[in-house]
Amino acid sequence: PPSNRAGANNFVSNYARTFNRDNLTARVDHAFSDSNRFYFRYMFNRDPLRFTSALPNPIADTRNFSERHQNMFLFADTHTVTPTIITDIRVSISDRTFHSVSPGLGSNGPELLGLRGVPTGAFPTFSVAGIRGLGAGTHERVQIPIRQQQYINSWTWVRGSHVMKFGGEVRRSTNLDILRPSISGNFSFATQPTALEGTANTGFGFASLLVGFPNSFSLRNTEPLDRYSYYLAGYFQDDWKVSRDLTLNLGLRWETDTPIMDRNNRQNSFDITAINPVSNTPGVVRFAGVDGWPTRPYDPDWNNFGPRFGFAWKVAGSEKMVVRGGFGISYAHPFDHGVPNLASLGFENSANLSTPDNGVTAPFYLRDGVPQVNPGGQPLTPAFGAVPVGRNATTNVQFYESDRQIGYAQQFNLGIQRELPGRMVVEVGYLGNLSRKLSSANISINQIRPENIDAIRRAGVFRQAYRPFPQFNNVLLVQPSFGVTDYHAGVLKIEKRFSGGLSFLSTYTWSKNLDNIDTSPADLGDAQQYSDYYNRRLDKGPSGLDIRHRFTWSSLYELPFGRGRKWAQQGPLSQVVGGWALGAIALMQSGGPFTVTTQTNTTNVFSAGAQRANVLRDPNLPNSEKRLDRWFDIAAFAPPEPFTFGNAGRGIVRTDGRINFDFSLVKNFSFSESRFVQFRGEVFNAFNHADFADPGHAIGGPGFGVVSDATDARVLQLGLRVVF
């Protein structure tokens, strides 16, 4: 029977993960003279990952085996040029290898399943809406090596009341990548084919599988992608003690990441205005270095200057009150979202088939086998991958925006610190972070234009031919740089430094975090970042990290008994009541946001993301009315009419918060200054408080509005440690 209220998880099995790690660290320090010191470090790490299978036949398992090795070398030399000038030179080389293998690699999975038209060599991937899939998402990936070479030179110059630091950095990163994500096919089954028009039935992905109606199919197997980029940086900073009561920090940093190049020019781009000779519509696939097209995928971004300013001021010369503040601009790596091994069209065996009309017509039926497509070997011409208008497209295009820019964050803060009696400090502050041009998740730009929707609705058809680039399936911008986040927070902090056997640190944060690129993990919210490509304003909303209230506490108290403490310092009583300590950690925070979407996308326009629901009123229930089978007001949502986008904003419903208390009891049995035995008793989630996971939030889906999981129950742990 199902194991939760949503009726899911009716097949349960345990699996084991085998994780062995071998580490080696070697270090050499040598002083050539009093003014010249050398340092060398070598680190080796090997940590292969293995799984047992939860399935009767392990070739269909979703978990990959992986081999991972790392070798890291660091050379450093510190030279005192004069008593006021010091230089430091560092050179590091890091080599990593990664080999991921699916359990079904090398098997005859297609033959076992009776699938025709699919290359053999792995177990195909099945993604079915509403249930757990089968087959690994990547059949094989080999990265040998992932290499980084880093060269840093920094200088420190002390002159009067100034401490000046300046220097530069050059970093070269390379990645040889053999990517085989789908060598025997990836089959996707959606809810649309089995949805009944005019009824409340929104369809079932498993039913679509049973009738053999896939929503899409893909193959991909790349040639070796040997890519590299450089990171360049230079900086200057002056820490200036203006007076006894005022210190200023002034600085400027320049940095950039050059475009990621392919040593063999195995990269593609896309010209959105050129007329395709096959379809006579805009959109032509271009290739690096072919027909005069640039070898770099996008233009470099050179104007990345980051000023830094900070100050610390003793208020009116006070020794107990300080005002601190700062402002700085920092730049992000252009691919914060992952390794950019995409945009290799023309240099891979790939094919993509999908329904041309939102699930009314199948791209093929399983009983007939996968149609013959030409997955590779096409000439690199403007006709590449295109089909005439009206014919089912077979190619997905991925490309980088040519004017891609590097994201940056403007960070600023202002705070007041006040010393209190008892070695305590209280601080009140404000923090802000405004980030722009951040790397986002891939987005499809091949969505039917708004001005065509009325004509499509009247005709009752919504075929591939109405898309801006009908000769292709999805046309994806790779991690475009249009992400925006706004974060503001007020912080109250109180700290007691260790004295009298007691120390503690407590903070309270009230904050607000909005963005349009949310990719937060599910335990903090969900990542429904895209909806309508032509109305991106609807994508801005509370981030999954938008935790409005957060309180933390950590403390340690040593009981005043035993050796070196106030009472019972000697004798048998000291051994019994001495050496005890109590620790406590507490966390209380409000819940994160999530977004309600539809199980079946009825926009019928090949939208850039999931379809959001229509909201009729505030869906958040008072705490007294929330139940596990009705966490929010599910009647406050309704499916949008076909050919329309829902009006619900992103992140308008909140999950459960977090309340957790951990305690520890420690007893030290001392035998000498350097020998003792420590006993530890620890309890996690001491009050056994259940913090609930996200409820189901796909309208029409199983478990809509139902909470089916929670955090771990109370855990007790005992430990014994011998120190000698």
Side-chain angles (χ1 to χ4, degrees), residues 658-675:
R658 294 288 181 265
I659 299 177
N660 186 76
F661 289 83
D662 301 333
F663 297 104
S664 64
L665 178 64
V666 180
K667 164 67 173 174
N668 289 326
F669 299 90
S670 298
F671 300 100
S672 68
E673 291 293 334
S674 60
R675 292 186 300 167

Side-chain angles (χ1 to χ4, degrees), residues 4 13 24 33 72 107 159 161 184 268 270 329 339 349 437 501 538 574 685 712:
N4 60 34
S13 177
L24 172 65
S33 65
M72 288 161 279
S107 71
R159 184 175 176 84
S161 59
S184 290
N268 74 272
F270 190 67
I329 296 179
V339 178
N349 291 326
K437 302 178 183 178
L538 298 178
S574 171
N685 190 11
D712 292 336

Side-chain angles (χ1 to χ4, degrees), residues 222-240:
T222 69
E223 299 178 19
L225 305 177
D226 193 355
R227 297 186 172 177
Y228 65 93
S229 70
Y230 287 89
Y231 171 80
L232 310 172
Y235 69 93
F236 173 82
Q237 179 165 319
D238 182 10
D239 297 327
W240 177 21

Side-chain angles (χ1 to χ4, degrees), residues 269-451:
S269 187
F270 190 67
D271 191 334
I272 62 175
T273 60
I275 300 301
N276 195 290
V278 175
S279 60
N280 202 32
T281 55
V284 172
V285 179
R286 301 290 192 182
F287 304 96
V290 176
D291 295 333
W293 198 259
T295 57
R296 62 192 182 202
Y298 51 90
D299 297 329
D301 191 0
W302 298 111
N303 62 340
N304 304 319
F305 293 94
R308 315 288 170 89
F309 170 76
F311 74 92
W313 175 51
K314 295 180 180 178
V315 180
S318 171
E319 296 296 329
K320 296 187 176 182
M321 182 177 291
V322 178
V323 177
R324 304 177 189 273
F327 170 82
I329 296 179
S330 301
Y331 288 87
H333 191 278
F335 298 101
D336 283 340
H337 277 78
V339 178
N341 52 16
L342 304 177
S344 58
L345 201 60
F347 309 99
E348 59 185 43
N349 291 326
S350 63
N352 299 273
L353 302 173
S354 63
T355 172
D357 46 21
N358 202 54
V360 174
T361 304
F364 60 92
Y365 289 96
L366 290 185
R367 64 173 178 263
D368 300 325
V370 179
Q372 291 295 319
V373 294
N374 183 14
Q378 299 182 53
L380 306 182
T381 67
F384 183 92
V387 298
V389 176
R391 189 177 303 176
N392 287 356
T394 61
T395 302
N396 282 346
V397 179
Q398 300 168 333
F399 73 104
Y400 301 108
E401 51 196 334
S402 60
D403 59 347
R404 179 182 183 81
Q405 296 177 306
I406 295 177
Y408 65 91
Q410 304 172 73
Q411 298 172 314
F412 38 92
N413 66 82
L414 181 65
I416 301 175
Q417 291 179 322
R418 171 72 184 185
E419 182 181 345
L420 302 177
R423 301 197 67 186
M424 291 194 296
V425 176
V426 64
E427 180 177 353
V428 179
Y430 161 76
L431 304 173
N433 186 327
L434 305 179
S435 300
R436 300 295 183 265
K437 302 178 183 178
L438 298 181
S439 175
S440 308
N442 300 345
I443 185 171
S444 173
I445 64 173
N446 206 12
Q447 176 183 318
I448 294 175
R449 299 185 188 280
E451 59 267 24

Side-chain angles (χ1 to χ4, degrees), residues 591-615:
F594 64 89
T595 305
V596 172
T597 60
T598 62
Q599 187 184 30
T600 301
N601 190 332
T602 60
T603 60
N604 301 322
V605 295
F606 303 94
S607 60
Q611 184 183 32
R612 299 182 190 136
N614 277 339
V615 62

Side-chain angles (χ1 to χ4, degrees), residues 113-124:
L113 298 171
L115 293 172
R116 290 179 290 144
V118 181
T120 189
F123 188 88

Side-chain angles (χ1 to χ4, degrees), residues 467-681:
R467 304 179 83 172
F469 312 106
Q471 66 274 30
F472 302 111
N473 279 319
N474 285 331
V475 178
L476 297 177
L477 270 177
V478 176
Q479 301 173 355
S481 56
F482 50 50
V484 172
T485 69
D486 296 329
Y487 175 79
H488 301 275
V491 180
L492 175 64
K493 171 183 170 182
I494 183 168
E495 180 180 8
K496 175 178 171 55
R497 296 182 176 89
F498 188 79
S499 65
L502 175 66
S503 68
F504 63 79
L505 172 65
S506 182
T507 63
Y508 168 72
T509 304
W510 177 86
S511 64
K512 188 174 184 179
N513 192 353
L514 303 178
D515 67 22
N516 67 354
I517 59 166
D518 193 3
T519 55
S520 302
D523 60 344
L524 294 174
D526 68 332
Q528 299 293 344
Q529 60 196 88
Y530 297 142
S531 177
D532 182 358
Y533 172 68
Y534 299 107
N535 190 3
R536 294 268 358 265
R537 289 180 300 174
L538 298 178
D539 294 335
K540 188 169 184 179
S543 163
L545 299 172
D546 182 46
I547 308 299
R548 296 295 172 89
H549 302 278
R550 180 179 172 90
F551 170 81
T552 66
W553 170 278
S554 63
S555 62
L556 177 67
Y557 177 59
E558 292 184 347
L559 273 63
F561 307 106
R563 179 183 300 176
R565 301 182 186 179
K566 189 172 183 179
W567 293 306
Q569 298 180 4
Q570 297 178 350
L573 184 63
S574 171
Q575 293 295 324
V576 176
V577 301
W580 290 93
L582 300 174
I585 297 176
L587 166 67
M588 293 183 285
Q589 69 180 39
S590 55
F594 64 89
T595 305
V596 172
T597 60
T598 62
Q599 187 184 30
T600 301
N601 190 332
T602 60
T603 60
N604 301 322
V605 295
F606 303 94
S607 60
Q611 184 183 32
R612 299 182 190 136
N614 277 339
V615 62
L616 310 177
R617 56 181 178 269
D618 183 4
N620 291 285
L621 295 173
N623 288 337
S624 60
E625 298 182 20
K626 291 180 179 178
R627 305 192 307 266
L628 294 183
D629 56 358
R630 187 173 177 264
W631 186 259
F632 57 90
D633 184 3
I634 60 175
F637 293 99
E641 292 294 323
F643 302 100
T644 64
F645 289 89
N647 63 11
R650 227 191 73 208
I652 63 173
V653 194
R654 294 277 166 170
T655 65
D656 191 19
R658 294 288 181 265
I659 299 177
N660 186 76
F661 289 83
D662 301 333
F663 297 104
S664 64
L665 178 64
V666 180
K667 164 67 173 174
N668 289 326
F669 299 90
S670 298
F671 300 100
S672 68
E673 291 293 334
S674 60
R675 292 186 300 167
F676 65 91
V677 174
Q678 183 183 84
F679 165 79
R680 298 184 65 89

